Amino acid sequence: MPEGVIVGGWSYVIAAYSITAIVLVAYAWSIHRRGRDERGKRGRHE
Amino acid sequence: MNVRRSLAIAGLLLLVVGTYMGLFVAPPERHMGEVQRIMYVHVPSAWNAMLLYTFAFGFAIASLWSGKPEWDDRLVGAVEVAVVLNALLLVQGSIWGRATWGVWWDWDVRLTTSLVMLLLFAGVLTLRRMASAERRAQWSAVATIVAFVDVPLVYYCVRWWRSLHQIQSSPETVDPAMVIPLRLNAIGILLLGVAWLMARAAIEKARRRRDEAPLPSRVIVKETAHA
């Protein structure tokens, strides 16, 4: 097992968590928007 | 409150608590230091992507077996959410790799099979767009079953072949202070993923019903007048 420890690294952690949050929020918004559009189309169709 | 919304809220709460613990409560790892905190989002993304692909595999078999379109609605929901998590795990892994291995990417067996998994299932979603309405469910189910061959390969490749990527840890070998945020985030993403799967399946069902429904009389009248 190699000795030593990676010093710092918070910038990588912040980048990974930020990207995760952005992708999850964007996907949740995309699902919400598509659901709303579909309900709108169904309303017009009927 | 409906089931979907309850799952999403519970998932979000768990994810917020798990993320807080992962960032501020769990201790840094002996060798990787703070960088190891990426594990609390990377591993839950990977677990849930593979779990949702497994759901999709089950839905594909049910779709072929029963011919009921509801299974195809669920299949597209599971594959789409899993593809999002799969893309996310590759990006998180790349950032973690840069910090620990010194490179953003390596054609290592775990990384490569994970990328192939993403491409195969993205291919399932693309195929759905190209297929006719009559064949869509059948093609999607067959393509999902074929693509699923890669999923166990992703999981076991680190045990079968030499890999830069570490093999799976177990709760016995990990500090309990690290296990708790990992599990909270894993369950949180699972609940959110199931809520999204249900929402996406509902959208697909609505689209299918709209496509199957006869045209409303006003549209027919308009088209006749133009002709």
Side-chain angles (χ1 to χ4, degrees):
Chain A
M1 183 64 76
E3 292 300 319
V5 58
I6 296 172
V7 179
W10 273 106
S11 56
Y12 293 105
V13 176
I14 291 165
Y17 277 75
S18 303
I19 290 169
T20 303
I22 290 167
V23 169
L24 294 183
V25 168
Y27 186 67
W29 174 249
S30 142
I31 286 274
H32 171 74
R33 193 178 47 77
R34 283 183 283 170
R36 193 188 55 195
D37 289 352
E38 199 53 46
R39 281 191 295 275
K41 280 180 189 169
R42 194 175 54 194
R44 281 199 298 277
H45 196 74
E46 286 164 0
Chain B
M1 197 186 293
N2 66 32
V3 177
R4 225 156 58 196
R5 188 164 294 177
S6 306
L7 286 173
I9 291 171
L12 189 63
L13 285 174
L14 289 175
L15 201 53
V16 168
V17 176
T19 299
Y20 175 80
M21 291 182 74
L23 285 175
F24 305 112
V25 179
E29 202 263 351
R30 189 186 300 170
H31 296 289
M32 286 187 275
E34 309 294 353
V35 169
Q36 178 269 343
R37 296 182 193 281
I38 296 173
M39 177 187 79
Y40 304 115
V41 284
H42 177 65
V43 173
S45 300
W47 283 347
N48 284 298
M50 287 197 281
L51 186 62
L52 286 162
Y53 284 140
T54 308
F55 288 175
F57 177 71
F59 296 151
I61 290 173
S63 173
L64 285 178
W65 188 270
S66 70
K68 289 183 180 171
E70 289 79 10
W71 292 113
D72 181 59
D73 300 337
R74 292 171 192 138
L75 181 151
V76 69
V79 170
E80 192 180 281
V81 178
V83 161
V84 170
L85 294 176
N86 195 159
L88 205 47
L89 86 88
L90 285 171
V91 174
Q92 295 156 342
S94 177
I95 294 169
W96 198 355
R98 180 71 182 85
T100 53
W101 301 336
V103 290
W104 294 104
W105 182 260
D106 186 89
W107 291 104
D108 168 80
V109 66
R110 170 55 78 80
L111 277 65
T112 307
T113 50
S114 300
L115 177 63
V116 169
M117 184 166 74
L118 174 69
L119 296 176
L120 285 171
F121 283 98
V124 172
L125 296 176
T126 309
L127 187 69
R128 290 183 66 80
R129 288 179 171 270
M130 293 160 59
S132 64
E134 298 78 37
R135 292 275 172 219
R136 190 174 297 143
Q138 213 172 3
W139 284 23
S140 302
V142 172
T144 299
I145 290 168
V146 172
F148 187 76
V149 171
D150 190 53
V151 176
L153 215 58
V154 171
Y155 189 79
Y156 288 108
C157 67
V158 286
R159 293 175 184 270
W160 291 343
W161 295 293
R162 285 167 63 92
S163 173
L164 268 176
H165 198 284
Q166 70 169 75
I167 62 164
Q168 295 87 356
S169 303
S170 75
E172 289 77 41
T173 60
V174 176
D175 189 315
M178 293 174 168
V179 173
I180 294 168
L182 185 63
R183 285 189 176 164
L184 287 176
N185 277 357
I187 298 168
I189 292 181
L190 174 63
L191 297 183
L192 271 178
V194 171
W196 288 337
L197 184 165
M198 291 167 73
R200 182 63 184 86
I203 293 168
E204 197 63 19
K205 184 178 180 180
R207 278 184 188 163
R208 182 168 46 76
R209 290 209 167 154
R210 185 163 46 82
D211 291 345
E212 286 168 357
L215 286 171
S217 53
R218 59 194 156 85
V219 176
I220 295 170
V221 169
K222 229 183 218 175
E223 283 180 356
T224 312
H226 278 296

